[in-house]
Protein backbone atom coordinates (compact mmCIF):
# COMPACT_ATOMS: atom_id res chain seq x y z
CA UNK A 1 0.00 0.00 0.00
CA UNK A 2 1.30 3.44 -0.88
CA UNK A 3 2.09 5.94 1.87
CA UNK A 4 -0.78 8.23 0.83
CA UNK A 5 -3.18 5.29 0.99
CA UNK A 6 -2.09 4.47 4.55
CA UNK A 7 -2.06 8.11 5.69
CA UNK A 8 -5.56 7.93 7.18
CA UNK A 9 -4.69 4.87 9.26
CA UNK A 10 -1.48 6.50 10.48
CA UNK A 11 -3.35 9.66 11.54
CA UNK A 12 -5.95 7.61 13.42
CA UNK A 13 -3.33 5.46 15.16
CA UNK A 14 -1.32 8.55 16.03
CA UNK A 15 -4.29 10.29 17.66
CA UNK A 16 -5.19 7.15 19.63
CA UNK A 17 -1.61 6.64 20.88
CA UNK A 18 -1.15 10.26 21.94
CA UNK A 19 -4.53 10.26 23.66
CA UNK A 20 -3.74 6.98 25.47
CA UNK A 21 -0.43 8.40 26.73
CA UNK A 22 -2.01 11.65 27.96
CA UNK A 23 -5.16 10.17 29.50
CA UNK A 24 -5.47 6.39 29.25
CA UNK A 25 -8.85 6.10 31.00
CA UNK A 26 -10.52 8.76 28.90
CA UNK A 27 -8.90 7.35 25.74
CA UNK A 28 -10.40 3.91 26.36
CA UNK A 29 -13.83 5.42 26.90
CA UNK A 30 -13.46 7.78 23.95
CA UNK A 31 -12.30 5.14 21.47
CA UNK A 32 -15.30 2.98 22.39
CA UNK A 33 -17.56 5.96 21.87
CA UNK A 34 -15.85 6.71 18.56
CA UNK A 35 -16.61 3.18 17.38
CA UNK A 36 -20.31 3.71 18.04
CA UNK A 37 -20.34 7.20 16.54
CA UNK A 38 -18.50 5.91 13.48
CA UNK A 39 -21.09 3.23 12.68
CA UNK A 40 -23.69 5.35 10.81
CA UNK A 41 -20.90 7.19 8.99
CA UNK A 42 -19.28 3.93 7.89
CA UNK A 43 -22.55 2.44 6.64
CA UNK A 44 -23.43 5.62 4.73
CA UNK A 45 -19.90 5.84 3.33
CA UNK A 46 -20.07 2.26 2.04
CA UNK A 47 -23.54 3.01 0.64
CA UNK A 48 -22.11 5.90 -1.36
CA UNK A 49 -19.21 3.70 -2.39
CA UNK A 50 -21.49 1.20 -4.12
CA UNK A 51 -23.55 3.89 -5.80
CA UNK A 52 -20.66 6.05 -7.00
CA UNK A 53 -18.58 3.08 -8.13
CA UNK A 54 -21.50 2.33 -10.47
CA UNK A 55 -21.49 5.89 -11.77
CA UNK A 56 -24.42 7.29 -9.78
CA UNK A 57 -23.34 10.16 -7.56
CA UNK A 58 -25.55 10.29 -4.49
CA UNK A 59 -25.61 13.34 -2.22
CA UNK A 60 -28.98 12.16 -0.95
CA UNK A 61 -27.38 9.91 1.68
CA UNK A 62 -28.45 12.39 4.34
CA UNK A 63 -32.09 12.23 3.30
CA UNK A 64 -32.14 8.45 3.08
CA UNK A 65 -30.64 8.10 6.54
CA UNK A 66 -33.13 10.61 7.94
CA UNK A 67 -36.11 8.82 6.41
CA UNK A 68 -34.78 5.47 7.66
CA UNK A 69 -34.32 6.85 11.18
CA UNK A 70 -37.91 8.13 11.26
CA UNK A 71 -39.56 5.00 9.87
CA UNK A 72 -37.43 2.75 12.09
CA UNK A 73 -38.23 4.70 15.25
CA UNK A 74 -41.94 4.92 14.40
CA UNK A 75 -42.37 1.21 13.70
CA UNK A 76 -40.17 0.21 16.64
CA UNK A 77 -42.36 2.30 18.96
CA UNK A 78 -45.65 1.01 17.53
CA UNK A 79 -44.60 -2.66 17.51
CA UNK A 80 -42.10 -2.72 20.37
CA UNK A 81 -39.60 -4.49 18.11
CA UNK A 82 -36.28 -3.00 17.05
CA UNK A 83 -35.98 -5.64 14.32
CA UNK A 84 -39.25 -4.60 12.71
CA UNK A 85 -38.04 -1.03 13.04
CA UNK A 86 -34.86 -1.98 11.18
CA UNK A 87 -36.88 -3.52 8.34
CA UNK A 88 -39.05 -0.40 8.19
CA UNK A 89 -35.96 1.80 8.12
CA UNK A 90 -34.54 -0.17 5.21
CA UNK A 91 -37.91 0.08 3.44
CA UNK A 92 -38.06 3.85 3.90
CA UNK A 93 -34.55 4.30 2.57
CA UNK A 94 -35.19 1.96 -0.36
CA UNK A 95 -38.25 4.01 -1.33
CA UNK A 96 -36.10 7.12 -1.68
CA UNK A 97 -33.45 5.08 -3.51
CA UNK A 98 -36.12 4.08 -6.02
CA UNK A 99 -37.01 7.75 -6.50
CA UNK A 100 -33.34 8.57 -7.02
CA UNK A 101 -32.94 5.69 -9.46
CA UNK A 102 -35.96 6.71 -11.49
CA UNK A 103 -34.81 10.32 -11.67
CA UNK A 104 -31.15 9.72 -12.46
CA UNK A 105 -31.10 6.36 -14.29
CA UNK A 106 -34.45 5.91 -16.03
CA UNK A 107 -35.22 9.57 -16.79
CA UNK A 108 -31.52 10.57 -17.01
CA UNK A 109 -31.95 13.60 -14.76
CA UNK A 110 -29.19 15.44 -12.98
CA UNK A 111 -27.97 13.17 -10.20
CA UNK A 112 -26.89 15.97 -7.88
CA UNK A 113 -30.19 17.80 -8.13
CA UNK A 114 -32.06 14.54 -7.51
CA UNK A 115 -29.98 14.02 -4.36
CA UNK A 116 -30.71 17.54 -3.12
CA UNK A 117 -34.43 16.98 -3.74
CA UNK A 118 -34.32 13.76 -1.70
CA UNK A 119 -32.68 15.58 1.20
CA UNK A 120 -35.36 18.29 1.20
CA UNK A 121 -38.14 15.73 0.81
CA UNK A 122 -36.94 13.65 3.76
CA UNK A 123 -36.35 16.70 5.92
CA UNK A 124 -39.89 18.01 5.47
CA UNK A 125 -41.75 14.71 5.26
CA UNK A 126 -40.37 13.25 8.49
CA UNK A 127 -41.41 16.31 10.49
CA UNK A 128 -44.84 16.55 8.84
CA UNK A 129 -45.73 12.88 9.28
CA UNK A 130 -44.18 12.75 12.75
CA UNK A 131 -46.21 15.74 13.95
CA UNK A 132 -49.44 14.30 12.54
CA UNK A 133 -48.77 10.83 13.94
CA UNK A 134 -47.39 11.62 17.40
CA UNK A 135 -47.95 15.33 17.99
CA UNK A 136 -44.49 15.84 19.46
CA UNK A 137 -43.11 18.44 17.08
CA UNK A 138 -41.77 15.85 14.65
CA UNK A 139 -40.24 13.62 17.31
CA UNK A 140 -41.26 10.07 18.07
CA UNK A 141 -41.92 8.85 21.62
CA UNK A 142 -38.89 7.47 23.45
CA UNK A 143 -38.03 3.85 22.76
CA UNK A 144 -37.54 1.40 25.60
CA UNK A 145 -36.86 -2.30 26.07
CA UNK A 146 -37.13 -4.38 22.93
CA UNK A 147 -37.79 -1.27 20.90
CA UNK A 148 -34.05 -0.56 20.98
CA UNK A 149 -31.05 -2.65 20.03
CA UNK A 150 -29.27 -3.62 23.23
CA UNK A 151 -25.49 -4.07 23.74
CA UNK A 152 -24.16 -7.58 23.24
CA UNK A 153 -21.57 -9.16 25.53
CA UNK A 154 -19.28 -11.30 23.39
CA UNK A 155 -18.09 -14.75 24.56
CA UNK A 156 -15.29 -14.76 27.19
CA UNK A 157 -15.46 -10.95 27.58
CA UNK A 158 -15.74 -11.19 31.37
CA UNK A 159 -13.09 -13.91 31.65
CA UNK A 160 -10.54 -11.95 29.63
CA UNK A 161 -11.22 -8.60 31.33
CA UNK A 162 -8.11 -8.78 33.56
CA UNK A 163 -5.70 -9.98 30.86
CA UNK A 164 -3.18 -7.19 30.11
CA UNK A 165 -3.69 -5.26 26.85
CA UNK A 166 -5.93 -7.87 25.19
CA UNK A 167 -8.50 -7.92 28.00
CA UNK A 168 -9.40 -4.22 28.06
CA UNK A 169 -9.49 -4.06 24.26
CA UNK A 170 -11.72 -7.12 23.87
CA UNK A 171 -14.01 -6.66 26.87
CA UNK A 172 -14.14 -2.87 26.96
CA UNK A 173 -13.89 -1.88 23.30
CA UNK A 174 -14.94 -4.75 21.05
CA UNK A 175 -17.57 -6.30 23.33
CA UNK A 176 -20.59 -4.40 24.58
CA UNK A 177 -21.81 -2.92 21.30
CA UNK A 178 -25.12 -3.41 19.53
CA UNK A 179 -25.38 -5.89 16.68
CA UNK A 180 -25.54 -3.14 14.04
CA UNK A 181 -22.04 -1.98 15.03
CA UNK A 182 -20.72 -5.44 14.19
CA UNK A 183 -22.76 -5.48 10.97
CA UNK A 184 -21.12 -2.21 9.92
CA UNK A 185 -17.62 -3.53 10.61
CA UNK A 186 -18.40 -6.78 8.79
CA UNK A 187 -19.58 -4.84 5.74
CA UNK A 188 -16.05 -3.53 5.14
CA UNK A 189 -14.46 -6.89 4.17
CA UNK A 190 -17.73 -7.94 2.51
CA UNK A 191 -17.70 -4.81 0.35
CA UNK A 192 -14.02 -5.34 -0.53
CA UNK A 193 -14.73 -8.95 -1.52
CA UNK A 194 -17.86 -8.09 -3.54
CA UNK A 195 -16.22 -5.23 -5.45
CA UNK A 196 -12.81 -6.75 -6.10
CA UNK A 197 -13.30 -10.52 -6.03
CA UNK A 198 -16.64 -11.18 -7.74
CA UNK A 199 -17.96 -10.88 -11.29
CA UNK A 200 -20.73 -8.62 -10.05
CA UNK A 201 -18.20 -6.27 -8.48
CA UNK A 202 -16.09 -6.18 -11.63
CA UNK A 203 -19.10 -5.28 -13.73
CA UNK A 204 -20.24 -2.70 -11.18
CA UNK A 205 -16.88 -0.93 -11.26
CA UNK A 206 -16.78 -1.17 -15.05
CA UNK A 207 -20.18 0.55 -15.27
CA UNK A 208 -18.74 3.45 -13.32
CA UNK A 209 -15.72 3.72 -15.59
CA UNK A 210 -16.94 2.81 -19.08
CA UNK A 211 -20.62 1.84 -19.31
CA UNK A 212 -20.49 1.57 -23.09
CA UNK A 213 -18.04 -1.33 -22.91
CA UNK A 214 -20.26 -3.12 -20.40
CA UNK A 215 -23.26 -2.61 -22.65
CA UNK A 216 -21.29 -3.94 -25.61
CA UNK A 217 -20.55 -7.10 -23.61
CA UNK A 218 -24.29 -7.71 -23.31
CA UNK A 219 -24.66 -6.65 -19.67
CA UNK A 220 -27.46 -4.26 -18.71
CA UNK A 221 -26.06 -0.96 -17.47
CA UNK A 222 -29.46 0.06 -16.13
CA UNK A 223 -29.85 -3.14 -14.11
CA UNK A 224 -26.40 -2.83 -12.57
CA UNK A 225 -26.91 0.80 -11.62
CA UNK A 226 -30.28 0.03 -10.06
CA UNK A 227 -28.64 -2.79 -8.10
CA UNK A 228 -25.99 -0.38 -6.81
CA UNK A 229 -28.62 2.21 -5.86
CA UNK A 230 -30.64 -0.51 -4.07
CA UNK A 231 -27.58 -1.63 -2.08
CA UNK A 232 -27.00 2.00 -1.23
CA UNK A 233 -30.57 2.25 0.05
CA UNK A 234 -30.21 -0.86 2.22
CA UNK A 235 -27.01 0.37 3.86
CA UNK A 236 -28.45 3.85 4.42
CA UNK A 237 -31.50 2.18 5.93
CA UNK A 238 -29.35 0.29 8.42
CA UNK A 239 -27.43 3.47 9.22
CA UNK A 240 -30.60 5.47 9.88
CA UNK A 241 -32.17 2.67 11.91
CA UNK A 242 -29.03 2.49 14.05
CA UNK A 243 -29.22 6.22 14.73
CA UNK A 244 -32.78 5.96 16.04
CA UNK A 245 -32.83 2.52 17.69
CA UNK A 246 -29.21 1.94 18.67
CA UNK A 247 -27.32 5.17 19.19
CA UNK A 248 -30.41 7.10 20.37
CA UNK A 249 -33.79 6.16 21.81
CA UNK A 250 -36.08 7.54 19.15
CA UNK A 251 -36.27 10.00 16.28
CA UNK A 252 -35.55 13.71 16.65
CA UNK A 253 -35.93 16.34 13.95
CA UNK A 254 -32.85 16.50 11.69
CA UNK A 255 -31.09 13.93 13.86
CA UNK A 256 -28.66 12.95 11.10
CA UNK A 257 -27.00 16.36 11.66
CA UNK A 258 -24.98 16.33 8.45
CA UNK A 259 -23.69 12.78 8.81
CA UNK A 260 -24.60 12.02 5.20
CA UNK A 261 -22.37 14.84 3.99
CA UNK A 262 -19.55 13.83 6.34
CA UNK A 263 -19.85 10.30 4.90
CA UNK A 264 -19.43 11.76 1.41
CA UNK A 265 -16.33 13.66 2.56
CA UNK A 266 -14.98 10.45 4.09
CA UNK A 267 -15.66 8.63 0.82
CA UNK A 268 -13.54 11.16 -1.07
CA UNK A 269 -10.92 11.02 1.68
CA UNK A 270 -10.86 7.22 1.27
CA UNK A 271 -10.67 7.52 -2.53
CA UNK A 272 -13.64 5.18 -3.01
CA UNK A 273 -11.98 2.21 -1.28
CA UNK A 274 -13.63 0.22 1.54
CA UNK A 275 -10.68 -0.28 3.91
CA UNK A 276 -9.66 3.36 3.71
CA UNK A 277 -13.32 4.24 4.31
CA UNK A 278 -13.14 2.37 7.63
CA UNK A 279 -10.28 4.54 8.91
CA UNK A 280 -11.68 7.75 7.42
CA UNK A 281 -15.03 7.36 9.18
CA UNK A 282 -13.32 6.29 12.39
CA UNK A 283 -11.31 9.51 12.26
CA UNK A 284 -14.52 11.54 12.15
CA UNK A 285 -16.02 9.45 14.94
CA UNK A 286 -12.86 9.93 17.01
CA UNK A 287 -13.02 13.71 16.66
CA UNK A 288 -16.69 13.72 17.65
CA UNK A 289 -15.90 11.56 20.68
CA UNK A 290 -13.12 13.97 21.70
CA UNK A 291 -15.53 16.89 21.37
CA UNK A 292 -18.07 15.09 23.58
CA UNK A 293 -15.54 14.19 26.27
CA UNK A 294 -13.81 17.56 26.32
CA UNK A 295 -16.50 20.21 25.74
CA UNK A 296 -14.05 22.88 26.94
CA UNK A 297 -10.54 21.61 26.22
CA UNK A 298 -7.99 23.17 28.57
CA UNK A 299 -4.51 23.19 27.00
CA UNK A 300 -2.96 25.16 29.84
CA UNK A 301 -2.20 28.36 27.97
CA UNK A 302 -5.60 28.47 26.25
CA UNK A 303 -9.03 26.93 26.66
CA UNK A 304 -10.73 25.82 23.48
CA UNK A 305 -14.48 26.59 23.73
CA UNK A 306 -17.16 23.95 23.32
CA UNK A 307 -18.51 25.56 20.13
CA UNK A 308 -15.18 24.98 18.40
CA UNK A 309 -14.94 21.41 19.70
CA UNK A 310 -18.45 20.62 18.43
CA UNK A 311 -17.56 22.07 15.04
CA UNK A 312 -14.26 20.14 14.85
CA UNK A 313 -15.55 17.25 12.66
CA UNK A 314 -17.06 19.73 10.21
CA UNK A 315 -13.89 21.84 10.17
CA UNK A 316 -11.95 18.70 9.34
CA UNK A 317 -14.36 18.05 6.46
CA UNK A 318 -13.56 21.46 4.97
CA UNK A 319 -9.81 20.95 5.42
CA UNK A 320 -9.94 17.54 3.77
CA UNK A 321 -12.00 18.74 0.83
CA UNK A 322 -9.70 21.76 0.46
CA UNK A 323 -6.93 19.48 -0.69
CA UNK A 324 -5.34 17.73 2.29
CA UNK A 325 -6.43 14.38 0.89
CA UNK A 326 -4.43 14.91 -2.30
CA UNK A 327 -5.71 13.99 -5.71
CA UNK A 328 -8.85 11.88 -5.52
CA UNK A 329 -10.10 10.69 -8.89
CA UNK A 330 -13.78 9.64 -8.96
CA UNK A 331 -15.14 7.03 -11.38
CA UNK A 332 -14.87 8.45 -14.90
CA UNK A 333 -18.52 7.92 -15.81
CA UNK A 334 -19.78 9.18 -12.46
CA UNK A 335 -22.62 11.68 -12.63
CA UNK A 336 -23.30 11.07 -16.30
CA UNK A 337 -26.51 9.32 -17.42
CA UNK A 338 -25.91 6.52 -19.87
CA UNK A 339 -27.62 6.75 -23.23
CA UNK A 340 -27.61 3.48 -25.15
CA UNK A 341 -26.30 3.82 -28.66
CA UNK A 342 -28.53 2.51 -31.41
Amino acid sequence: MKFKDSLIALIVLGICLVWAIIDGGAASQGIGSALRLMTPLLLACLAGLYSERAGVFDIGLEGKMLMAAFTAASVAYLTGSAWLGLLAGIGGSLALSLVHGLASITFRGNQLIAGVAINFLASGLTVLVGQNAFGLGGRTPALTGAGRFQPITLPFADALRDVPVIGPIYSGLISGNTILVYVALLMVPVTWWVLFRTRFGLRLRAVGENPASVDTAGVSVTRLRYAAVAICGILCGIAGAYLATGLSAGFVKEMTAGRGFIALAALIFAKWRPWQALFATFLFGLLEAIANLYPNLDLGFITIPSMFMNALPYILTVIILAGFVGRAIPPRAGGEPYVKER
Side-chain angles (χ1 to χ4, degrees), residues 213-268:
S213 64
V214 175
D215 192 17
T216 302
V219 179
S220 173
V221 174
T222 299
R223 188 180 297 115
L224 280 171
R225 287 191 167 180
Y226 264 109
V229 168
I231 295 172
C232 175
I234 292 172
L235 292 177
C236 282
I238 299 174
Y242 172 77
L243 277 176
T245 61
L247 193 62
S248 301
F251 176 82
V252 180
K253 178 182 176 182
E254 304 292 350
M255 72 179 304
T256 47
R259 284 182 173 88
F261 299 108
I262 292 179
L264 283 175
L267 182 59
I268 298 171

Side-chain angles (χ1 to χ4, degrees), residues 118-328:
I118 285 174
N119 289 335
F120 281 119
L121 176 64
S123 178
L125 195 59
T126 52
V127 174
L128 177 64
V129 177
Q131 174 62 23
N132 290 333
F134 304 108
L136 297 174
R139 295 184 294 111
T140 60
L143 301 177
T144 58
R148 294 191 64 195
F149 285 102
Q150 303 299 325
I152 298 173
T153 301
L154 296 179
F156 310 111
D158 294 331
L160 295 174
R161 189 176 301 276
D162 297 328
V163 177
V165 182
I166 298 176
I169 293 175
Y170 181 72
S171 62
L173 179 61
I174 299 176
S175 179
N177 297 298
T178 64
I179 190 171
L180 296 185
V181 175
Y182 303 117
V183 169
L185 294 174
L186 181 62
M187 283 305 303
V188 177
V190 168
T191 297
W192 174 84
W193 180 78
V194 168
L195 289 179
F196 298 101
R197 290 294 183 271
T198 66
R199 180 181 298 178
F200 172 76
L202 175 63
R203 290 174 173 176
L204 193 73
R205 289 183 289 121
V207 164
E209 296 292 338
N210 192 343
S213 64
V214 175
D215 192 17
T216 302
V219 179
S220 173
V221 174
T222 299
R223 188 180 297 115
L224 280 171
R225 287 191 167 180
Y226 264 109
V229 168
I231 295 172
C232 175
I234 292 172
L235 292 177
C236 282
I238 299 174
Y242 172 77
L243 277 176
T245 61
L247 193 62
S248 301
F251 176 82
V252 180
K253 178 182 176 182
E254 304 292 350
M255 72 179 304
T256 47
R259 284 182 173 88
F261 299 108
I262 292 179
L264 283 175
L267 182 59
I268 298 171
F269 197 9
K271 299 182 179 179
W272 294 270
R273 297 174 184 173
W275 287 107
Q276 283 86 336
L278 172 65
F279 290 105
T281 52
F282 186 75
L283 177 59
F284 285 106
L286 196 61
L287 290 173
E288 188 174 351
I290 292 173
N292 292 338
L293 283 175
Y294 304 101
N296 292 288
L297 185 59
D298 187 4
L299 299 178
F301 59 93
I302 188 175
T303 299
I304 301 177
S306 59
M307 291 182 292
F308 179 85
M309 294 301 296
N310 291 332
L312 193 59
Y314 305 96
I315 294 172
L316 177 67
T317 302
V318 175
I319 294 174
I320 288 172
L321 294 180
F324 177 75
V325 68
R327 189 180 182 188

Side-chain angles (χ1 to χ4, degrees), residues 59-72:
I59 63 172
L61 300 177
E62 179 88 357
K64 293 173 185 176
M65 290 172 63
L66 192 62
M67 180 62 73
F70 173 74
T71 52

Side-chain angles (χ1 to χ4, degrees), residues 39 52 174:
T39 297
E52 297 197 7
I174 299 176

Side-chain angles (χ1 to χ4, degrees), residues 96-113:
L96 291 186
S97 290
L98 176 61
V99 172
H100 190 218
L102 287 172
S104 58
I105 300 173
T106 301
F107 298 113
R108 305 189 186 97
N110 187 292
Q111 297 173 5
L112 300 182
I113 293 177

